[in-house]
């Protein structure tokens, strides 16, 4: 993990808080941070990461076909790839885009939303992170949704107080400390990513050493971004601009296993997460993992994890149910 943490410390972020929202049950909205949300703070960005800090109440959040994540007061939810997502007191009803609810910023302060049916209240601050240094390989291995309890530990207490301070400054249109937002964004991401990485099983941490090597890092980005492709070591070497032998040696030395063995593990780990966290059909997960048939995928999955996909899903979904 030392290599991964070294990489985290080298990443530099900017960030901002752009929205103060109050919802009352029942409510459900579709959200995604846009370049326009970031424009008052930074030029048109690439690679936005979104986050919401729940200061009061609670909400459910869902990305795609993933299982809803419950987020209560005092928690930050981070979306490393800024995926479109649903937020609400409940997610089964009709949703509305937050773009239709925004009350524009006045005097440089926060945009605001007040919406809902008049029931239980939920307050949240919405913001974004932008990396000043490339970190695609790291972002690609993080889950779609990460939660961070700011009540745990000294660093997270600092995050909460800083969020409130920054939001207060923005609300009155006098940001006296722009560096605070950048450092806050940086610490926020590092805390969330470090917490996630330290909880990974040892066999899933091997990618971290490769983040230091620019050639290996680019290869990891390709593998994590497109695991379904029919990759060969030669294809990857060509992508990063090395000979096959030089690339294979470099990758194996940095990551600990050869490229194709790493890819096989990645596919199984990604498939296992999809089985556990979503209701996506196994046939589709097999295609996403690069297998042309569900039968071939099932055989490989059982060999790697000890049970067929359907059995594995049923067992692990049952363990996570309250």
């Amino acid at each position: 993990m030392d290599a991964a943490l070294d990489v985290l410390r080298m990443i530099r972020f900017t960030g901002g808080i752009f929205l103060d929202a109050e919802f009352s049950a029942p409510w459900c909205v579709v959200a995604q941070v846009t370049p326009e949300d970031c424009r008052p703070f930074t030029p048109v960005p690439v690679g936005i990461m979104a986050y919401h800090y729940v200061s009061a109440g609670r909400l459910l959040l869902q990305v795609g076909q993933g299982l809803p994540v419950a987020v209560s007061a005092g928690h930050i939810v981070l979306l490393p790839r800024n995926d479109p997502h649903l937020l609400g007191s409940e997610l089964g009803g009709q949703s509305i885009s937050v773009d239709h609810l925004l009350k524009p910023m006045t005097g440089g302060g926060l945009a605001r939303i007040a919406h809902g049916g008049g029931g239980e209240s939920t307050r949240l601050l919405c913001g974004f992170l932008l990396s000043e240094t490339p970190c695609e390989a790291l972002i690609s291995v993080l889950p779609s949704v990460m939660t961070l309890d700011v009540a745990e530990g000294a660093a997270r207490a600092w995050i909460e107080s800083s969020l409130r301070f920054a939001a207060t400054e923005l609300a009155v249109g006098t940001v006296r400390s722009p560096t605070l937002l950048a450092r806050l964004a940086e610490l926020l991401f590092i805390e969330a990513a470090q917490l996630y990485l330290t909880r990974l099983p040892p066999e899933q941490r091997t990618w971290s050493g490769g983040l230091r090597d620019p050639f290996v890092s680019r290869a990891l980005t390709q593998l994590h971004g497109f695991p379904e492709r029919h990759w060969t070591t030669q294809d990857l070497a060509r992508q990063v601009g090395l000979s096959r032998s030089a690339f294979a040696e470099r990758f194996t030395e940095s990551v600990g296993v050869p490229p194709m063995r790493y890819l096989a593990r990645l596919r199984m780990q990604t498939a296992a997460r999809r089985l556990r966290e979503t209701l996506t059909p196994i046939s589709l997960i097999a295609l996403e993992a690069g297998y042309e048939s569900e039968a071939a995928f099932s055989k490989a999955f059982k060999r790697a994890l000890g049970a067929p996909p359907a059995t594995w899903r049923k067992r692990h979904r049952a363990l996570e149910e309250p």
Side-chain angles (χ1 to χ4, degrees):
M1 290 306 295
D2 289 343
L5 298 182
D6 285 345
V7 171
L8 286 174
R9 296 185 188 105
M10 288 188 292
I11 297 172
R12 291 294 176 264
F13 290 95
T14 58
I17 302 169
F18 64 88
L19 175 64
D20 181 7
E22 181 173 6
F23 297 101
S24 58
W27 61 279
C28 183
V29 299
V30 181
Q32 184 179 33
V33 179
T34 69
E36 287 300 317
D37 296 323
C38 308
R39 198 180 297 276
F41 308 94
T42 184
V44 178
V46 177
I48 301 170
M49 289 175 270
Y51 70 86
H52 305 291
Y53 169 56
V54 181
S55 60
R58 56 189 175 87
L59 58 83
L60 295 173
L61 183 147
Q62 184 178 30
V63 172
Q65 295 182 332
L67 296 175
V69 176
V71 188
S72 56
H75 286 73
I76 291 169
V77 58
L78 177 68
L79 296 101
R81 287 174 289 281
N82 190 33
D83 295 303
H85 51 285
L86 284 176
L87 294 165
S89 56
E90 52 192 53
L91 303 181
Q94 186 175 3
S95 59
I96 184 172
S97 171
V98 293
D99 296 338
H100 302 316
L101 303 173
L102 285 172
K103 298 177 181 178
M105 296 182 182
T106 57
L110 291 172
R112 296 186 179 276
I113 287 178
H115 171 72
E120 181 183 3
S121 177
T122 297
R123 293 288 303 269
L124 60 149
L125 294 168
C126 305
F128 65 90
L129 315 177
L130 303 171
S131 173
E132 297 176 351
T133 52
C135 56
E136 293 91 346
L138 177 56
I139 299 301
S140 69
V141 300
L142 295 176
S144 298
V145 180
M146 304 168 69
T147 57
L148 181 66
D149 184 353
V150 300
E152 291 183 13
R156 292 169 202 167
W158 186 90
I159 288 174
E160 179 172 23
S161 62
S162 299
L163 271 170
R164 292 186 182 281
F165 175 75
T168 300
E169 285 199 331
L170 286 167
V172 298
T174 56
V175 182
R176 295 183 298 274
S177 306
T179 56
L180 173 64
L181 288 177
R183 297 290 75 77
L184 172 61
E186 183 178 327
L187 181 58
L188 208 171
F189 176 78
I190 290 174
E191 283 285 307
Q194 180 172 321
L195 181 64
Y196 172 74
L197 295 175
T198 54
R199 290 178 176 175
L200 282 177
E203 66 273 12
Q204 294 185 30
R205 300 177 188 169
T206 54
W207 58 270
S208 59
L211 295 177
R212 286 180 167 180
D213 186 308
F215 295 100
V216 177
S217 178
R218 288 201 294 272
L220 287 169
T221 298
Q222 291 295 316
L223 291 177
H224 283 270
F226 309 98
E228 75 283 358
R229 287 188 183 174
H230 296 293
W231 290 108
T232 65
T233 301
Q234 181 64 52
D235 291 335
L236 285 169
R238 190 180 300 114
Q239 286 274 349
V240 303
L242 289 175
S243 69
R244 184 189 182 284
S245 58
F247 168 70
E249 181 179 354
R250 220 162 159 152
F251 190 101
T252 304
E253 182 179 351
S254 296
V255 179
V257 293
M260 293 303 98
R261 189 182 305 173
Y262 178 86
L263 175 60
R265 290 181 181 179
L266 170 64
R267 286 172 168 172
M268 290 302 105
Q269 292 161 7
T270 303
R273 188 172 71 223
R274 294 276 283 159
L275 288 166
R276 184 177 62 250
E277 297 180 357
T278 79
L279 300 176
T280 304
I282 293 174
S283 58
L284 181 55
I285 293 176
L287 289 174
E288 292 173 347
Y291 289 85
E292 295 181 355
S293 72
E294 184 175 338
F297 167 70
S298 296
K299 183 177 180 180
F301 190 92
K302 182 178 180 180
R303 185 168 58 247
L305 281 88
T311 304
W312 194 94
R313 167 180 266 173
K314 183 177 181 180
R315 181 186 304 158
H316 286 77
R317 288 287 297 277
L319 289 174
E320 294 191 0
E321 289 177 356

